[in-house]
Amino acid sequence: MGADKGTPGWTRRQTLQSMALAGAAAAWSPRTLASDRRIGVALVGLGHYSRDLLAPALELTRHCRLAGLVTGSPEKLPEWQGRYGIPDRNVYSYDDFHRIADNPEIDVVYIVTPNHLHKPLALAAAAAGKHVWCEKPMAMDAAEGEAMVRACRDNRVQLAVGYRMQHEPNTRRFMAMAKERPYGRIVKLRADAGWFGWREGADGAWRLDPARGGGAMYDMGVYCINAARYCTGMEPLAVQAWDETARREVFKGVDETIRFRLEFPEDIVAECVTSFGRNLNTLQVDCERGWYMLSPFQGYEGNQGRASDGTVFAPQLGARPRMQAEQMDQDALAILENRAPRVPGEEGVADLRVVDAAFASAKAGGERVDIARG
Ligand code: NAD
């Protein structure tokens, strides 16, 4: 234990010295500097998530501002530029995106496009010297994710993955419980994530296109995988996966539903389901002396749950898009304070190693497949 400053062991001179140091630290700490500056964020891809969640969330942040737009749909620009006051000089198409390197108003490129574009856009942003925030799934497979990590490291820019749940307080409590183990050894975990919505002719057809990263595993399965990893604090060793797609006439070449089972060290098993055919949103951790759960566990708001001893996990963050604002403020502070983001690229890669193995297992009818090690 360090000496308490109120104890006789502390001299007046030590106290004054310590106060002076603390004062200097407060005056010069990066956090003080951080509050002076807002990180300029350019959104790439102006679809649902950018329009309905991220852009409104940027208006709630303390450390960010919407500074730029990258789009292949110029017809969207008058509304966006008018609403958010974005000047022409900060607007790019995918073809002239590289010019962003010369724009000092933009610090971060936030990639919010279909999944097959995450890697090429991240590489281009890193080459332009911009920090990269990238939506989940980080890429199409672990090799792509690793290339993104390398490119950002080589260009000395940060790479953060948009796993918003890792900024939500109840989820953060579950992450802490992975270490504290308040109910004893973890025995089993259940994580189900899905939504019913896909029908022929629906908007966002890329979610049904294998070449653009469609299917439920990329979209929702990564929430199950990420949760299984952060609730155990461990990396899974092997996976078995079963493709249970029902509507083959709609889901051609992509998965509608995949059930999978992850084996962790200490004989912990995670049973997961991801689906575009069912509304699923439950996370439960069973331990030797009780259990705890969140449902919803990956909603935009209202994430809540309880434990076997009566503990209640009440919703914490308020209505949408508070969670996205919290995520972007945290990632902006990491840049301003020159420290690693909470959810670095390696997190996305670790999940993609599981996705790679799960796809291989599903293709082999549920064969047990070892998950590659980092
Ligand atoms: P969307 O279809 O609504 O928007 C995608 C945007 O990308 C559109 O503006 C489209 O014009 C543009 N685009 C550029 N190239 C395209 C191409 N080749 N094909 C199709 N569209 C193209 O999708 P969305 O729901 O906004 O999802 C975008 C990304 O955000 C995905 O990676 C998704 O997984 C992620 N996302 C994350 C969350 C979250 O909660 N973290 C929620 C929704 C989406």
Side-chain angles (χ1 to χ4, degrees), residues 47-49 76 115 118 135-136 164 206-207 212 223:
H48 151 69
Y49 198 53
K76 294 180 184 169
N115 304 328
H118 291 186
E135 260 317 311
K136 45 56 54 178
R164 56 189 167 75
W206 67 268
R207 280 191 170 84
R212 287 182 284 177
Y223 284 107

Side-chain angles (χ1 to χ4, degrees), residues 44-51 53 71-73 76 94 110-118 135-137 162-164 203-207 212 218-219 223 298 300 324 327:
V44 188
L46 307 181
H48 151 69
Y49 198 53
S50 285
R51 182 187 62 238
L53 281 305
T71 182
S73 310
K76 294 180 184 169
Y94 293 103
Y110 194 163
I111 300 166
V112 201
T113 61
N115 304 328
H116 71 302
L117 295 174
H118 291 186
E135 260 317 311
K136 45 56 54 178
Y163 278 130
R164 56 189 167 75
D203 291 340
W206 67 268
R207 280 191 170 84
R212 287 182 284 177
Y218 282 134
D219 200 55
Y223 284 107
Q298 38 80 11
Y300 288 149
Q324 285 81 4
Q327 169 201 323

